[in-house]
């Protein structure tokens, strides 16, 4: 490089060139269900990637070439390591990075309000290592305004060089770039390749947007730019609220259909044949996962600042939260039909993951249902091929071991909560005394032992 061309390089053009040449060093902070697959995608495209996590077990597993996520085999981690992927808990390594992508949790606290402590903790840990030309992207789902009102002030106040985030109209070049880009993963979905999911990106200014679009354009086939970080934050919430509200709608219609002697699944399937204007949503035992039961409440909390009540979100939450109670009642009623009490009944819960074929327990309705059954005196066991044990989480403390799927006749009731593909439902119905099915997993099987709820 000549002296004159080096002098003409700005932090923006330098980073853009490094991204375009796949030489930008990518840091992914938070190596969970979102961060680890993202880190691997960048590695596959030839970027040198360093993953950061505060969980020492995760870091050492990756360092040793292992995996802790069921659908990511250890061989993938080993291949990534051969292509310059590493993992660490040492934030000082951030100085050597070019782009920093934050994928830490955004749960609700005990009062159902946003818990941003992981984002603020991460921002405080990044700030001392920030340098001019860094691109920082937040991916964690959160309310509109978080990037500008929470993340950027911490980064600006905590960095050692008094750097400012690059904003439209700013006169100085020596800042850092910030964007928000929501994660859109659908765990367990085998039909859409990750790189075919369009990536929404909202930068704080045009330069940040261009850099973030270039960074994500290297691993996703389509980038969708929006006008600001807040617009990108709101886009993700709209997507999840749309699901939450529609699932609540179909759950409510299920309760009515049951009362009217109609089969809601048959009705949804029939309606889904309409080639326009209808998208099917399916009823279930309650919402699960890190996103749908949690994210809408980030917006209802923020809305209060604007004297606004998000009534659809609250109503949907009310209906969805009541579904595990409906399951409890259905089990009690089904046992009652057999002249048995729930108190003392042996119940086998099939599936603790929050949805089929995945190894994720977070916010799973199964956990609530197990606790509700136990409170009524039932002797509860569970089976789930993805979980040999269920210990303690933020909201539960079960300390249970996966029961084998044999001798099903010993249970007064087998309760299907998660419809894993692995299960042989015909055999389950044949061997069980009573099957309560919350997912229509036994569709096509005729038996007086089945109660669909
Ligand atoms: N899982 C999904 O399917 C999904 C989909 C879309 C969006 N999201 C959003 O993505 C974000 C991350 O979700 P996830 O499912 O990957 O969570 P996760 O719990 O699986 O992973 C988060 C990781 O961050 C680590 N972490 C926490 N604080 C840290 C810190 N200060 N520094 C470094 N690491 C830290 C944790 O140890 C953990 O490994 C959340 O905001 C979530 O709402 C998740």
């Amino acid at each position: 490089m000549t002296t004159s061309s080096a002098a003409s390089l700005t932090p923006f053009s330098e980073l853009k060139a490094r991204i375009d040449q796949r030489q930008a060093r990518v840091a992914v902070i938070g190596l969970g269900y979102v961060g680890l697959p993202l880190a691997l995608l960048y590695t596959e495209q030839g970027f040198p990637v360093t993953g950061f996590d505060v969980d020492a077990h995760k870091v050492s597993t990756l360092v040793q070439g292992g995996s802790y996520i069921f659908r990511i085999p250890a061989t993938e981690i080993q291949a990534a390591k051969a292509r310059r992927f590493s993992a660490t808990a040492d934030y000082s390594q951030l100085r050597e990075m070019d782009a920093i992508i934050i994928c830490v949790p955004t749960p609700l606290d005990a009062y159902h309000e946003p818990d941003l402590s992981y984002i603020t903790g991460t921002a405080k840990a990044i700030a001392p290592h920030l340098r001019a030309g860094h691109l920082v992207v937040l991916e964690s789902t959160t309310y509109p305004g978080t990037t500008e009102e929470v993340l950027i002030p911490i980064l600006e106040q905590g960095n050692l060089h008094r750097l400012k985030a690059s904003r439209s109209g700013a006169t100085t070049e020596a800042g850092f770039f910030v964007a928000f880009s929501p994660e859109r993963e659908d765990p367990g979905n085998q039909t859409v390749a990750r790189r075919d999911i369009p990536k929404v990106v909202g930068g704080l200014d045009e330069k940040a947007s261009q850099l973030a679009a270039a960074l994500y354009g290297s691993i996703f086939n389509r980038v969708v730019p929006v006008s600001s970080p807040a617009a990108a934050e709101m886009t993700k919430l709209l997507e999840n609220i749309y699901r939450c509200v529609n699932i609540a709608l179909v759950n409510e219609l299920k309760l009515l259909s049951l009362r009217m002697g109609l089969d809601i699944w048959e009705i949804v399937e029939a309606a889904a044949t309409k080639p326009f204007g209808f998208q099917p949503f399916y009823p279930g035992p309650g919402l699960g996962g890190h996103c749908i039961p949690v994210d809408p409440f980030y917006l209802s909390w923020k809305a209060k600042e604007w004297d606004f009540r998000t009534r659809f979100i609250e109503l949907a939450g009310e209906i969805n939260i009541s579904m595990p109670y409906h399951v409890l009642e259905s089990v009690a009623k089904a046992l009652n039909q057999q002249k048995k009490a729930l108190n003392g009944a042996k119940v086998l819960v099939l599936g603790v993951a929050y949805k089929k074929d995945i190894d994720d327990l977070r916010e799973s309705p199964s956990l609530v249902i197990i606790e509700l059954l136990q409170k009524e005196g039932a002797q509860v066991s569970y089976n789930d091929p993805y979980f040999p044990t269920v210990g303690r989480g933020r909201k539960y403390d079960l300390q249970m071991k996966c029961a084998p799927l044999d001798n099903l006749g010993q249970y007064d009731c087998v309760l299907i909560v998660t419809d894993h593909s692995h299960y042989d439902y015909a055999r389950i119905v044949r061997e069980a005394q009573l099957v309560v099915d919350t997912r229509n997993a036994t569709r096509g099987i005729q038996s007086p032992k089945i109660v669909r709820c």
Side-chain angles (χ1 to χ4, degrees), residues 251-266:
N251 274 334
E252 188 173 66
L253 294 182
K254 172 177 83 168
L255 298 180
L256 175 63
S257 298
L258 279 168
R259 211 173 275 187
M260 295 173 78
L262 294 169
D263 177 351
I264 187 71
W265 281 279
E266 178 193 10

Side-chain angles (χ1 to χ4, degrees), residues 336-357:
N336 189 47
Q337 289 289 320
Q338 304 202 342
K339 300 191 168 42
K340 289 181 182 172
L342 179 55
N343 192 346
K346 286 183 79 178
V347 179
L348 176 69
V349 170
L350 291 191
V352 286
Y354 79 83
K355 72 174 192 178
K356 72 193 274 187
D357 304 336

